[in-house]
Amino acid sequence: MIKSFTLFYTIVLVFLFSILSIYIFQIKSLNYENIKNQHQYIQAKNHMRFLEEYTISLKNLNQIYKIEIKDNDFFIFGNINKKPKSNYEANLYIKSKLHNISLHKKLIIE
């Protein structure tokens, strides 16, 4: 009788520890996915900053100018339109190829 209780307690403990270990692995996996998404977002923001500086540095444009930069992980593109009051309006887009991350920024260049 005592052997059967010992076996029962052992099975219950193994079951509980396996459930606990699966839960811990799931949390670590979600944390890793969040860190990866944060890294992609920071990288997209850096690309956006570069695209802003590049767009502002362009002077003496005609009516419409399109920007497209080739990258392995992101689609980077923008459109610059001339407005009637000699201002330029730029729409800048960054979209990740791997994750669901996209940034858009509208600039008015005087």
Side-chain angles (χ1 to χ4, degrees), residues 61-72:
L61 298 174
N62 293 334
Q63 293 295 338
I64 297 174
Y65 189 75
K66 294 190 185 232
I67 302 170
E68 187 171 331
I69 300 173
K70 303 223 185 269
D71 190 63
N72 292 336

PDB file of all heavy atoms in Angstrom, residues 61-72:
ATOM      1  N   LEU A  61      14.174  70.500 -56.051  1.00  0.00           N
ATOM      2  CA  LEU A  61      13.491  69.382 -56.703  1.00  0.00           C
ATOM      3  C   LEU A  61      12.464  69.893 -57.695  1.00  0.00           C
ATOM      4  O   LEU A  61      11.962  71.000 -57.585  1.00  0.00           O
ATOM      5  CB  LEU A  61      12.790  68.521 -55.651  1.00  0.00           C
ATOM      6  CG  LEU A  61      13.684  67.854 -54.622  1.00  0.00           C
ATOM      7  CD1 LEU A  61      12.835  67.176 -53.579  1.00  0.00           C
ATOM      8  CD2 LEU A  61      14.585  66.850 -55.292  1.00  0.00           C
ATOM      9  N   ASN A  62      12.130  69.069 -58.654  1.00  0.00           N
ATOM     10  CA  ASN A  62      11.030  69.378 -59.559  1.00  0.00           C
ATOM     11  C   ASN A  62       9.719  69.049 -58.857  1.00  0.00           C
ATOM     12  O   ASN A  62       9.641  69.107 -57.634  1.00  0.00           O
ATOM     13  CB  ASN A  62      11.184  68.595 -60.857  1.00  0.00           C
ATOM     14  CG  ASN A  62      12.400  69.059 -61.646  1.00  0.00           C
ATOM     15  OD1 ASN A  62      12.813  70.199 -61.510  1.00  0.00           O
ATOM     16  ND2 ASN A  62      12.957  68.170 -62.427  1.00  0.00           N
ATOM     17  N   GLN A  63       8.710  68.693 -59.589  1.00  0.00           N
ATOM     18  CA  GLN A  63       7.388  68.465 -58.997  1.00  0.00           C
ATOM     19  C   GLN A  63       7.351  67.247 -58.062  1.00  0.00           C
ATOM     20  O   GLN A  63       6.995  67.350 -56.916  1.00  0.00           O
ATOM     21  CB  GLN A  63       6.340  68.297 -60.104  1.00  0.00           C
ATOM     22  CG  GLN A  63       6.095  69.554 -60.894  1.00  0.00           C
ATOM     23  CD  GLN A  63       5.496  70.651 -60.044  1.00  0.00           C
ATOM     24  OE1 GLN A  63       4.906  70.402 -59.004  1.00  0.00           O
ATOM     25  NE2 GLN A  63       5.664  71.884 -60.469  1.00  0.00           N
ATOM     26  N   ILE A  64       7.701  66.073 -58.561  1.00  0.00           N
ATOM     27  CA  ILE A  64       7.559  64.845 -57.768  1.00  0.00           C
ATOM     28  C   ILE A  64       8.898  64.109 -57.757  1.00  0.00           C
ATOM     29  O   ILE A  64       9.573  64.018 -58.769  1.00  0.00           O
ATOM     30  CB  ILE A  64       6.466  63.929 -58.360  1.00  0.00           C
ATOM     31  CG1 ILE A  64       5.111  64.629 -58.307  1.00  0.00           C
ATOM     32  CG2 ILE A  64       6.411  62.605 -57.621  1.00  0.00           C
ATOM     33  CD1 ILE A  64       4.015  63.856 -58.986  1.00  0.00           C
ATOM     34  N   TYR A  65       9.248  63.595 -56.607  1.00  0.00           N
ATOM     35  CA  TYR A  65      10.488  62.844 -56.459  1.00  0.00           C
ATOM     36  C   TYR A  65      10.173  61.612 -55.628  1.00  0.00           C
ATOM     37  O   TYR A  65       9.513  61.706 -54.598  1.00  0.00           O
ATOM     38  CB  TYR A  65      11.539  63.720 -55.775  1.00  0.00           C
ATOM     39  CG  TYR A  65      12.914  63.122 -55.753  1.00  0.00           C
ATOM     40  CD1 TYR A  65      13.697  63.081 -56.893  1.00  0.00           C
ATOM     41  CD2 TYR A  65      13.430  62.591 -54.579  1.00  0.00           C
ATOM     42  CE1 TYR A  65      14.965  62.534 -56.864  1.00  0.00           C
ATOM     43  CE2 TYR A  65      14.696  62.052 -54.545  1.00  0.00           C
ATOM     44  CZ  TYR A  65      15.460  62.025 -55.696  1.00  0.00           C
ATOM     45  OH  TYR A  65      16.705  61.484 -55.660  1.00  0.00           O
ATOM     46  N   LYS A  66      10.640  60.450 -56.062  1.00  0.00           N
ATOM     47  CA  LYS A  66      10.405  59.209 -55.325  1.00  0.00           C
ATOM     48  C   LYS A  66      11.731  58.683 -54.783  1.00  0.00           C
ATOM     49  O   LYS A  66      12.731  58.690 -55.485  1.00  0.00           O
ATOM     50  CB  LYS A  66       9.766  58.167 -56.230  1.00  0.00           C
ATOM     51  CG  LYS A  66       8.384  58.567 -56.659  1.00  0.00           C
ATOM     52  CD  LYS A  66       7.686  57.441 -57.349  1.00  0.00           C
ATOM     53  CE  LYS A  66       6.368  57.991 -57.832  1.00  0.00           C
ATOM     54  NZ  LYS A  66       5.250  57.260 -57.475  1.00  0.00           N
ATOM     55  N   ILE A  67      11.687  58.229 -53.557  1.00  0.00           N
ATOM     56  CA  ILE A  67      12.866  57.663 -52.898  1.00  0.00           C
ATOM     57  C   ILE A  67      12.581  56.196 -52.631  1.00  0.00           C
ATOM     58  O   ILE A  67      11.521  55.847 -52.109  1.00  0.00           O
ATOM     59  CB  ILE A  67      13.154  58.365 -51.556  1.00  0.00           C
ATOM     60  CG1 ILE A  67      13.366  59.850 -51.756  1.00  0.00           C
ATOM     61  CG2 ILE A  67      14.334  57.736 -50.863  1.00  0.00           C
ATOM     62  CD1 ILE A  67      13.413  60.617 -50.460  1.00  0.00           C
ATOM     63  N   GLU A  68      13.535  55.349 -52.967  1.00  0.00           N
ATOM     64  CA  GLU A  68      13.423  53.937 -52.610  1.00  0.00           C
ATOM     65  C   GLU A  68      14.818  53.428 -52.283  1.00  0.00           C
ATOM     66  O   GLU A  68      15.737  53.547 -53.093  1.00  0.00           O
ATOM     67  CB  GLU A  68      12.830  53.127 -53.754  1.00  0.00           C
ATOM     68  CG  GLU A  68      12.553  51.702 -53.367  1.00  0.00           C
ATOM     69  CD  GLU A  68      11.771  50.962 -54.435  1.00  0.00           C
ATOM     70  OE1 GLU A  68      11.008  51.590 -55.167  1.00  0.00           O
ATOM     71  OE2 GLU A  68      11.954  49.750 -54.503  1.00  0.00           O
ATOM     72  N   ILE A  69      14.974  52.895 -51.086  1.00  0.00           N
ATOM     73  CA  ILE A  69      16.262  52.392 -50.627  1.00  0.00           C
ATOM     74  C   ILE A  69      16.146  50.887 -50.452  1.00  0.00           C
ATOM     75  O   ILE A  69      15.206  50.395 -49.818  1.00  0.00           O
ATOM     76  CB  ILE A  69      16.690  53.075 -49.307  1.00  0.00           C
ATOM     77  CG1 ILE A  69      16.801  54.584 -49.523  1.00  0.00           C
ATOM     78  CG2 ILE A  69      17.997  52.494 -48.805  1.00  0.00           C
ATOM     79  CD1 ILE A  69      17.054  55.369 -48.272  1.00  0.00           C
ATOM     80  N   LYS A  70      17.089  50.163 -51.002  1.00  0.00           N
ATOM     81  CA  LYS A  70      17.059  48.697 -50.923  1.00  0.00           C
ATOM     82  C   LYS A  70      17.659  48.244 -49.596  1.00  0.00           C
ATOM     83  O   LYS A  70      18.708  48.703 -49.173  1.00  0.00           O
ATOM     84  CB  LYS A  70      17.831  48.105 -52.086  1.00  0.00           C
ATOM     85  CG  LYS A  70      17.332  48.545 -53.430  1.00  0.00           C
ATOM     86  CD  LYS A  70      17.272  47.395 -54.373  1.00  0.00           C
ATOM     87  CE  LYS A  70      16.898  47.878 -55.751  1.00  0.00           C
ATOM     88  NZ  LYS A  70      15.541  47.885 -56.035  1.00  0.00           N
ATOM     89  N   ASP A  71      16.956  47.327 -48.951  1.00  0.00           N
ATOM     90  CA  ASP A  71      17.399  46.765 -47.677  1.00  0.00           C
ATOM     91  C   ASP A  71      16.899  45.333 -47.603  1.00  0.00           C
ATOM     92  O   ASP A  71      15.861  45.000 -48.183  1.00  0.00           O
ATOM     93  CB  ASP A  71      16.853  47.596 -46.509  1.00  0.00           C
ATOM     94  CG  ASP A  71      17.469  47.203 -45.189  1.00  0.00           C
ATOM     95  OD1 ASP A  71      18.689  47.354 -45.042  1.00  0.00           O
ATOM     96  OD2 ASP A  71      16.726  46.732 -44.316  1.00  0.00           O
ATOM     97  N   ASN A  72      17.615  44.469 -46.893  1.00  0.00           N
ATOM     98  CA  ASN A  72      17.211  43.066 -46.793  1.00  0.00           C
ATOM     99  C   ASN A  72      16.008  42.861 -45.887  1.00  0.00           C
ATOM    100  O   ASN A  72      15.227  41.936 -46.101  1.00  0.00           O
ATOM    101  CB  ASN A  72      18.370  42.216 -46.290  1.00  0.00           C
ATOM    102  CG  ASN A  72      19.491  42.133 -47.294  1.00  0.00           C
ATOM    103  OD1 ASN A  72      19.275  42.302 -48.489  1.00  0.00           O
ATOM    104  ND2 ASN A  72      20.698  41.890 -46.810  1.00  0.00           N
TER     105      ASN A  72
END
